[in-house]
């Protein structure tokens, strides 16, 4: 079963980088790094997301190419999508963005 991507409205979210971008490892034993269909490295960034009600969650967001952000940056997630997954009775949401930019830089775009 293939998951249908769900667009995430980020207009009312405060997103902060809490762990610097790093390549996503597919296999810890071999060190294999995840790549997209074009062969570009997929990075994952751990962020805190605060909604308009003050609820905060830690999530990982995947993106192609190394994002120009560091720990502590307020981030704009461009084209953020959520993919619901289920394996062996467990489920969750995987997040992917077309770009993760420092909020100050995204405001100029």
């Amino acid at each position: 079963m293939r998951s249908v991507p769900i667009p995430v409205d980020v207009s009312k979210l405060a997103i902060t980088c809490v762990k610097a971008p790093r390549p996503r490892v597919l296999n810890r034993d071999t060190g294999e790094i995840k790549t997209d269909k074009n062969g570009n490295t997929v990075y994952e960034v751990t962020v805190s997301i605060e909604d308009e009600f003050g609820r905060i969650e830690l999530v990982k967001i995947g993106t192609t190419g190394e994002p120009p952000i560091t720990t502590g940056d307020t981030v704009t997630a461009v084209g953020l999508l959520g993919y619901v997954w289920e394996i062996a009775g467990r489920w969750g949401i995987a997040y992917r963005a077309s770009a993760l930019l420092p909020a100050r830089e995204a405001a100029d775009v």
Side-chain angles (χ1 to χ4, degrees):
M1 181 175 130
R2 190 164 176 110
S3 178
V4 176
I6 301 166
V8 177
D9 178 4
V10 297
S11 65
K12 295 181 181 177
L13 301 176
I15 304 172
T16 305
C17 176
V18 296
K19 190 169 185 183
R22 63 181 185 179
R24 180 159 181 220
V25 177
L26 279 180
N27 184 323
R28 293 182 199 274
D29 294 332
T30 65
E32 180 184 3
I33 301 296
K34 182 174 177 68
T35 56
D36 67 9
K37 62 185 172 192
N38 298 318
N40 300 308
T41 300
V42 173
Y43 281 77
E44 67 181 13
V45 181
T46 303
V47 299
S48 68
I49 298 180
E50 183 175 4
D51 67 16
E52 61 188 311
F53 305 107
R55 294 180 295 218
I56 299 173
E57 288 190 46
L58 287 177
V59 300
K60 290 181 182 178
I61 300 176
T63 191
T64 299
E66 186 171 4
I69 58 175
T70 59
T71 302
D73 282 350
T74 301
V75 175
T76 298
V78 179
L80 185 61
L81 298 172
Y83 296 84
V84 177
W85 58 267
E86 183 177 354
I87 300 174
R90 295 179 52 219
W91 69 275
I93 301 173
Y95 293 96
R96 182 138 173 102
S98 56
L100 294 171
L101 302 171
R104 63 186 179 280
E105 206 172 286
D108 297 336
V109 175

